[in-house]
Amino acid sequence: MSNITNQSLSEILESIKSKKISSLELTQAYIKNIENAKKLNAFVTTTFDQALENAKKFDNEPNNEQLLSGIPLAVKDLFCTENVKTTAGSNILNNFIPSYESTVTKNLWNNGAFLLGKLNCDEFAMGSSNETSFFGNVINPIGDRLVPGGSSGGSSSALAADLTPATIGTDTGGSIRQPASFTGTVGLKPTYGLCSRWGIVAFASSLDQAGPMTKTVNDCSIMLEAMSGFDDKDSTSINKKKESYSKNLKDNIKGLKIGIPKEYRVDNMPKEIDELWEKGKRILKDLGAQLIDISLPHTKYALPTYYIVAPAEASSNLARYDGVRYGHRSQKGKDLIEMYENTRSEGFGDEVKRRILIGTYVLSSGYYDAYYLKAQKVRQLIKKDFDDSFTKVDAILTPSTPSSAFKIGEKTNDPVSMYLNDIFTVPVNLAGLPALSLPAGLDKQGYPLGLQLVGKALDEQKILNIGYAFEKNCGYKNEIKKWWS
Amino acid sequence: MSKEKFDYFINGEKGKYEVVIGLEVHAQVLSNSKLFSGSSTKFGADPNKQVSLIDSAFPGMLPVINEECVKQAIRTGLGLNAKINNYSVFDRKNYFYADLPQGYQISQYKNPIVGEGKVLLDMPYGSKEIGIERLHLEQDAGKSIHDMDPSSTYVDLNRSGIALMEIVSKPHLRSPDEVNAYIKKLRTIMRYLGTCDGNMQEGSLRADVNVSVRKVGDKNFGTRCEIKNVNSIKFMQMAIEYEANRQVELLEDGKKIDQETRLFDTKKNETRSMRSKEDAHDYRYFPDPDLLPLKLEQKLIDDLKKSLPELPDNKKERFIQEYGLNSYEANVLVSEKEISDYYEKVAKLSDKKLAATWMMGDLFAMLNDKGLNISNSPISAKNFAELVQSIKSGEISGRIAKEVFEIMVESGDNPKKIIESKGMKQQSDPKELEKIINEILSKNKDKVDQYKAGKEKLFGFFVGQVMKLSGGKANPQLTNEILKKLLKG
């Protein structure tokens, strides 16, 4: 009983359904963990009273036919939650309480889950270490002083520290997969358009995608099934039949062709990442998959392309935070322009300001063609690289990140080295494809490392299957000492 | 119709200048809901009562295109004989203002939904074709109210997100009169199509006016100034007049014209500088990533084309052919769809030509007098047709008809009933008329003698006496005939 919270979501669901544990007991166990884990700074807001009410309600009238029956869940504070403060990790939304619920979280609640709290993240999801949050950096439970990755750093930290049985994040350039990799957990960025963006605080609209973060691949398939689906309120949502990812999960990957892109072997990459990649290839080969060398020639342009497209969209998306209708408004200033300037100066942190400036610059007249338009063209080439490869292979295997978790403060003064963290994840967002990060091993410091499986558009089932088979044969298990409690 | 000559030029000491005008008309799309949200578009609601989370740009809100607005834009494009683009893109036009919640306006920049088209104007000097450059869809902004409080600005977002069609003309207009004709024609076409109500008082139709001048004969355009957001035809004409003369004066003084955006001050009747080209906003247009490109199937366009109502140019031709009207009459009667409908109802029941004359004369004068329009005319088309028929058949004279018309306006009654009850029927019985005429002639023997001696002018006197005695009801034609006959004898 006492260690229910270190079980996987699917195990917990079994216990709920077989009445080994009530939803209330489960919720109380997580609340206890959360209260003991304040040092990790994973939560911005907790909704314990509401969660306990919902748990009781479930226990009184249990509906066990749902995907997430009686499960308390904490979610990234980028998802708008009705009547619950939603900050996006920013001072400018410090006091913002939405009157509406994002489609993705609503889908979770419609599947039997309820809200446990809102998880810290990089400000407006801009960051790779959770150090840009107005609410302070989050700590990686793997070790004191370590970043949990970002931007979904509160999510990865809370999940690895047993503060939520599963969670959701958003991934614009790696914000689910990199923190998953840094914490030894599973993270999936779905195909662009599979999960609705309605009600998610926007960072870069053409790249943002919500996805599950879980302890196991099976959990990941359950969460994806619950959160995804067509939404007519999002014009970029894909209208297709819902899939039963968990029911269709299978570990037979015999004969599948796995692409190994040569461009993902970058300079100065630690030897252990290379070894990890080799290990991954071996496991898949032993399971009967066929390894095929492929080339994604435009990979090296992905990062610069991303750092034009994403800030450009962000500079426009964040224009609405002007102090006029909601959120922080500066009391200083003698006219409208000064009110804007003061509100936004006080409301936004340095990284957000940096990206607004970059984005404004690349869209400016005289620079648009050289930067934004060119980046869009390169983006098409990157997408074409993947399209070409997927005529030959079923999925692509790469490392998730070029390094393991780093120390807090290690990269804060070097934005470019921080941006380099996303080098393996960013191309996938530019191409709109699904990708799964799997825990695969440890580096010599004992920090987790992940491998990434990239699939064709809407081929989530296949990469989940490969991940499922991999997980069974990899033998990785997170051993986290609860040093913080 | 005699053709006058075009003569709108400005004479300076150094030469004769012509005025070159292009218009960007903003027409509010007739649609129940906004371009990207379900909020109502009804005019006159209390401030901020028709605002959704999308219109006020709350975090995470996304636009979804309103298909009806797209159809309205296509219909309008077809009505302007324009090319409908199967592929168009929504862009963001970025700028900060308190009544622009998103911090950008969703508009169409490089790829508009409608391409080149044309509009025909009937001018006294002949018909003139005005080229349309493009039509695109965009969101309206909200309204900032600066005069409600000395220290604060109030914002009303009811208009925020309402669909506008921006219709850009080529620089083909040459005078305030042509601008008047052009706006009226656009308005007529859109009202026929039901795509814009054209109500300028409510702001459904506004325009930015581009004005430049050049010496007659010059091939190149002069530097233009854009006069922003003028909301009546009269103001547009006044602004053009002022602006063109201002530019000519500058040129005459050997000065340069700065390309700039200007405002028209309706109180002082002058334009003044708002911002120069150097201060122009950098709008940082880029395709809106929240919206997919708009791809139109040809079938949709073809179906809409088939369902278009008869448009004014075609209707005018038909009126000339079918009802024997002249070009001027046809023009007036097709200027509003409601007028043309009324006319057709009347023409089907009465004399077509006489119906046109009476409509354009007495009926329009009365409506104008009372500040009414044809759809709330106190005289129904059926009653009006009966009145016309009574005149045509000789049942009443034109003079009596005017009296009947007055009574119809007051009472809304059927003309037959009025004529009957008031005994206003024309006296057309020759025997009765002869009796009256004989009476007149015997009373005025001296005048009869004078007439017979050659003073033929007196004929009018006799007619007048007959009319007087008959209470105006004597059939004038018959009276003439009988009078002539009796005076001869």
Side-chain angles (χ1 to χ4, degrees):
Chain A
M1 270 308 284
S2 66
N3 56 4
I4 179 84
T5 58
N6 66 18
Q7 293 179 10
S8 70
L9 171 68
S10 51
E11 288 167 325
I12 294 169
L13 276 164
E14 272 312 304
S15 299
I16 292 269
K17 286 180 184 176
S18 63
K19 297 210 156 55
K20 263 168 53 190
I21 188 168
S22 69
S23 176
L24 183 64
E25 288 169 307
L26 179 72
T27 305
Q28 284 165 336
Y30 279 110
I31 290 174
K32 199 175 151 220
N33 285 3
I34 294 164
E35 283 178 334
N36 286 330
K38 291 207 170 118
K39 268 187 203 160
L40 298 179
N41 196 29
F43 280 76
V44 174
T45 305
T46 54
T47 54
F48 295 157
D49 291 347
Q50 183 188 314
L52 292 167
E53 277 306 304
N54 280 314
K56 281 182 214 159
K57 224 186 276 168
F58 176 83
D59 291 334
N60 286 338
E61 264 179 274
N63 174 0
N64 285 319
E65 301 307 303
Q66 293 170 293
L67 278 166
L68 298 168
S69 302
I71 299 295
L73 287 178
V75 303
K76 187 178 186 178
D77 207 15
L78 211 64
F79 294 89
C80 289
T81 42
E82 194 175 343
N83 299 326
V84 175
K85 193 170 80 168
T86 300
T87 68
S90 181
N91 186 26
I92 212 156
L93 288 176
N94 196 2
N95 59 7
F96 176 62
I97 298 173
S99 61
Y100 48 94
E101 186 77 34
S102 82
T103 300
V104 160
T105 46
K106 192 177 260 175
N107 287 345
L108 296 177
W109 317 148
N110 287 342
N111 277 296
F114 49 84
L115 184 67
L116 191 52
K118 305 293 294 287
L119 296 165
N120 206 340
C121 58
D122 278 301
E123 187 178 5
F124 285 101
M126 297 177 192
S128 306
S129 64
N130 218 115
E131 289 166 291
T132 73
S133 169
F134 174 72
F135 303 96
N137 56 271
V138 177
I139 311 276
N140 190 335
I142 297 293
D144 200 2
R145 316 292 316 145
L146 275 190
V147 303
S151 66
S152 311
S155 300
S156 65
S157 173
L159 177 66
D162 299 334
L163 312 183
T164 181
T167 185
I168 53 174
T170 58
D171 190 318
T172 305
S175 281
I176 286 175
R177 290 159 291 158
Q178 184 252 21
S181 175
F182 278 16
T183 54
T185 55
V186 177
L188 173 71
K189 183 207 92 77
T191 306
Y192 182 77
L194 191 67
C195 296
S196 168
R197 292 186 295 113
W198 194 89
I200 303 174
V201 176
F203 163 14
S205 310
S206 75
L207 300 159
D208 294 346
Q209 182 61 203
M213 299 173 77
T214 56
K215 290 178 178 171
T216 69
V217 174
N218 187 17
D219 290 359
C220 190
S221 63
I222 295 169
M223 286 291 285
L224 180 65
E225 198 174 322
M227 70 193 287
S228 61
F230 173 65
D231 181 6
D232 60 13
K233 291 187 291 200
D234 175 358
S235 307
T236 60
S237 175
I238 296 170
N239 194 351
K240 68 179 271 284
K241 222 179 123 233
K242 243 180 118 67
E243 287 185 51
S244 304
Y245 300 107
S246 53
K247 214 176 84 190
N248 297 329
L249 198 63
K250 50 175 202 253
D251 58 6
N252 182 358
I253 60 163
K254 218 168 251 165
L256 286 188
K257 295 181 182 128
I258 309 292
I260 309 295
K262 64 176 183 208
E263 290 80 7
Y264 279 60
R265 187 164 282 113
V266 296
D267 294 341
N268 304 324
M269 191 160 77
K271 218 175 109 209
E272 44 212 340
I273 303 270
D274 223 7
E275 285 166 7
L276 184 86
W277 199 4
E278 287 306 317
K279 176 183 160 191
K281 291 181 206 169
R282 208 165 48 240
I283 291 171
L284 295 181
K285 204 173 170 189
D286 290 347
L287 287 165
Q290 190 188 341
L291 302 180
I292 293 176
D293 286 328
I294 58 164
S295 174
L296 300 166
H298 296 92
T299 300
K300 65 177 166 192
Y301 302 115
L303 207 58
T305 300
Y306 174 84
Y307 276 98
I308 290 168
V309 174
E313 293 181 8
S315 70
S316 174
N317 280 337
L318 269 58
R320 65 187 56 198
Y321 306 107
D322 57 7
V324 174
R325 298 166 311 286
Y326 51 79
H328 174 73
R329 180 197 284 199
S330 176
Q331 296 308 311
K332 292 180 279 179
K334 62 171 169 25
D335 58 17
L336 183 66
I337 299 294
E338 285 190 11
M339 189 279 277
Y340 284 154
E341 288 170 354
N342 293 324
T343 294
R344 289 165 68 82
S345 295
E346 295 162 14
F348 292 137
D350 288 348
E351 184 60 29
V352 170
K353 285 176 191 162
R354 175 161 29 236
R355 297 202 196 188
I356 290 173
L357 286 173
I358 295 171
T360 304
Y361 179 79
V362 299
L363 288 175
S364 296
S365 114
Y367 299 96
Y368 179 88
D369 289 356
Y371 291 102
Y372 185 79
L373 201 60
K374 193 167 235 169
Q376 288 298 352
K377 286 178 186 160
V378 178
R379 184 175 182 178
Q380 289 309 309
L381 294 174
I382 290 165
K383 193 170 176 299
K384 194 176 170 294
D385 282 356
F386 280 107
D387 290 345
D388 291 347
S389 292
F390 280 121
T391 62
K392 289 172 264 176
V393 300
D394 295 292
I396 294 168
L397 181 75
T398 78
S400 295
T401 56
S403 78
S404 63
F406 46 87
K407 292 257 183 311
I408 290 166
E410 192 181 318
K411 294 179 195 278
T412 35
N413 292 322
D414 186 357
V416 173
S417 114
M418 187 74 92
Y419 296 169
L420 279 168
N421 238 277
D422 296 332
I423 194 159
F424 298 145
T425 48
V426 151
V428 176
N429 296 80
L430 290 170
L433 301 173
L436 181 66
S437 178
L438 298 159
L442 301 172
D443 70 358
K444 58 177 181 293
Q445 307 167 88
Y447 301 162
L449 291 168
L451 287 174
Q452 170 175 251
L453 279 164
V454 185
K456 273 182 244 187
L458 298 176
D459 217 3
E460 275 79 2
Q461 187 71 59
K462 198 176 279 168
I463 55 173
L464 285 166
N465 287 350
I466 299 168
Y468 190 47
F470 178 90
E471 180 183 65
K472 281 188 176 176
N473 291 277
C474 173
Y476 178 87
K477 189 151 176 31
N478 245 359
E479 304 282 357
I480 297 177
K481 287 194 205 85
K482 300 204 167 159
W483 53 266
W484 57 85
S485 59
Chain B
M1 200 168 60
S2 70
K3 284 191 180 171
E4 296 167 24
K5 261 183 87 178
F6 175 83
D7 69 346
Y8 189 79
F9 299 104
I10 297 174
N11 290 308
E13 281 178 14
K14 296 178 184 163
K16 190 169 159 188
Y17 296 83
E18 83 173 333
V19 184
V20 177
I21 307 155
L23 290 187
E24 292 164 25
V25 170
H26 298 265
Q28 180 176 330
V29 175
L30 257 186
S31 145
N32 292 328
S33 50
K34 295 182 179 179
L35 183 53
F36 296 111
S37 84
S39 307
S40 168
T41 56
K42 220 168 158 206
F43 179 79
D46 284 342
N48 296 311
K49 288 293 177 207
Q50 293 175 169
V51 186
S52 73
L53 293 164
I54 297 168
D55 310 321
S56 47
F58 270 68
M61 291 301 102
L62 298 171
V64 175
I65 185 81
N66 177 343
E67 279 176 32
E68 183 53 26
C69 294
V70 172
K71 287 183 186 165
Q72 292 288 56
I74 297 171
R75 288 187 188 106
T76 307
L78 293 169
L80 300 175
N81 302 299
K83 181 180 178 298
I84 309 299
N85 293 323
N86 296 69
Y87 177 92
S88 69
V89 175
F90 286 101
D91 298 276
R92 291 186 184 176
K93 180 180 180 179
N94 294 284
Y95 66 96
F96 281 94
Y97 203 62
D99 56 25
L100 187 74
Q102 293 166 141
Y104 54 84
Q105 175 195 35
I106 305 178
S107 181
Q108 296 190 298
Y109 186 48
K110 282 186 187 155
N111 297 287
I113 183 165
V114 176
E116 291 189 326
K118 56 179 188 282
V119 167
L120 269 183
L121 305 186
D122 269 294
M123 301 307 295
Y125 35 88
S127 87
K128 176 164 177 177
E129 186 179 303
I130 305 298
I132 299 290
E133 180 69 37
R134 59 184 278 165
L135 176 156
H136 70 250
L137 279 168
E138 64 183 26
Q139 296 176 300
D140 204 351
K143 203 165 91 185
S144 290
I145 305 154
H146 301 289
D147 55 5
M148 270 175 73
D149 185 281
S151 59
S152 309
T153 293
Y154 286 76
V155 175
D156 177 6
L157 295 180
N158 282 351
R159 292 195 68 92
S160 169
I162 282 183
L164 302 178
M165 296 179 280
E166 180 170 326
I167 304 166
V168 183
S169 82
K170 292 187 186 276
H172 288 172
L173 296 157
R174 293 289 177 272
S175 72
D177 280 349
E178 287 187 0
V179 167
N180 175 45
Y182 172 76
I183 296 274
K184 283 191 173 147
K185 189 62 181 280
L186 273 189
R187 189 174 171 274
T188 301
I189 291 170
M190 291 190 289
R191 285 174 58 91
Y192 265 71
L193 293 165
T195 58
C196 171
D197 67 19
N199 191 328
M200 296 188 99
Q201 281 87 43
E202 292 177 8
S204 305
L205 203 64
R206 293 135 35 204
D208 299 337
V209 187
N210 285 288
V211 181
S212 66
V213 297
R214 64 177 170 191
K215 281 210 180 121
V216 172
D218 274 3
K219 288 254 160 55
N220 295 329
F221 289 126
T223 305
R224 71 189 153 87
C225 290
E226 183 183 13
I227 310 160
K228 275 273 175 209
N229 216 7
V230 194
N231 62 5
S232 87
I233 294 178
K234 201 178 118 211
F235 289 151
M236 282 176 212
Q237 293 183 301
M238 285 159 72
I240 292 164
E241 190 99 20
Y242 176 87
E243 179 60 21
N245 279 293
R246 185 187 72 89
Q247 293 184 12
V248 168
E249 267 175 44
L250 282 173
L251 294 177
E252 289 277 303
D253 290 349
K255 290 180 186 150
K256 270 199 165 171
I257 292 159
D258 294 325
Q259 189 178 333
E260 60 184 359
T261 304
R262 299 178 71 84
L263 275 180
F264 182 63
D265 184 329
T266 55
K267 290 194 186 94
K268 291 186 184 155
N269 184 20
E270 61 181 31
T271 67
R272 55 168 188 268
S273 183
M274 193 173 138
R275 57 175 177 259
S276 72
K277 195 186 176 190
E278 287 71 36
D279 300 333
H281 287 297
D282 182 352
Y283 289 119
R284 290 170 283 124
Y285 282 100
F286 75 108
D288 190 330
D290 285 334
L291 291 161
L292 301 171
L294 190 59
K295 289 174 187 163
L296 302 175
E297 289 187 23
Q298 194 53 43
K299 188 176 177 314
L300 172 75
I301 300 169
D302 294 343
D303 287 352
L304 286 172
K305 194 166 192 172
K306 274 181 221 145
S307 70
L308 287 191
E310 185 183 30
L311 289 168
D313 288 345
N314 293 335
K315 189 170 272 187
K316 180 187 162 190
E317 278 315 304
R318 184 167 63 80
F319 276 19
I320 293 171
Q321 299 296 324
E322 207 169 298
Y323 300 122
L325 303 181
N326 64 37
S327 170
Y328 172 73
E329 290 167 329
N331 237 350
V332 173
L333 292 175
V334 303
S335 65
E336 294 271 358
K337 187 171 177 297
E338 290 74 14
I339 291 175
S340 70
D341 288 345
Y342 189 100
Y343 171 70
E344 288 210 87
K345 271 188 214 150
V346 175
K348 287 214 164 75
L349 298 169
S350 65
D351 183 81
K352 303 162 177 63
K353 193 78 182 173
L354 197 61
T357 312
W358 272 80
M359 255 185 87
M360 291 165 64
D362 294 67
L363 185 67
F364 283 2
M366 178 274 293
L367 292 175
N368 198 24
D369 236 34
K370 294 193 177 296
L372 297 172
N373 54 43
I374 196 93
S375 21
N376 46 30
S377 163
I379 299 179
S380 72
K382 191 172 156 286
N383 282 347
F384 192 73
E386 281 184 25
L387 177 68
V388 173
Q389 262 327 81
S390 299
I391 305 163
K392 182 68 187 176
S393 69
E395 196 183 340
I396 53 172
S397 67
R399 205 170 65 78
I400 294 290
K402 282 184 196 287
E403 278 175 46
V404 177
F405 180 86
E406 291 303 325
I407 301 168
M408 286 168 80
V409 172
E410 296 312 317
S411 64
D413 271 349
N414 175 288
K416 286 249 156 61
K417 208 171 113 192
I418 297 167
I419 295 165
E420 206 67 54
S421 69
K422 307 231 173 206
M424 295 166 102
K425 223 179 207 158
Q426 190 157 259
Q427 187 47 269
S428 299
D429 183 344
K431 279 183 189 151
E432 287 296 316
L433 277 177
E434 242 182 79
K435 230 189 258 173
I436 295 170
I437 292 169
N438 276 326
E439 198 184 326
I440 301 287
L441 295 183
S442 56
K443 264 191 205 162
N444 296 285
K445 283 218 166 66
D446 51 335
K447 297 238 166 48
V448 174
D449 291 340
Q450 287 173 20
Y451 177 85
K452 284 184 174 165
K455 204 171 176 190
E456 288 185 3
K457 265 198 266 171
L458 280 167
F459 191 79
F461 165 78
F462 296 123
V463 173
Q465 291 299 308
V466 174
M467 284 300 166
K468 201 172 166 189
L469 198 63
S470 68
K473 284 180 281 183
N475 181 323
Q477 222 176 331
L478 222 51
T479 303
N480 282 353
E481 282 172 27
I482 296 169
L483 246 182
K484 271 185 193 149
K485 193 180 80 189
L486 292 178
L487 282 168
K488 256 184 213 162

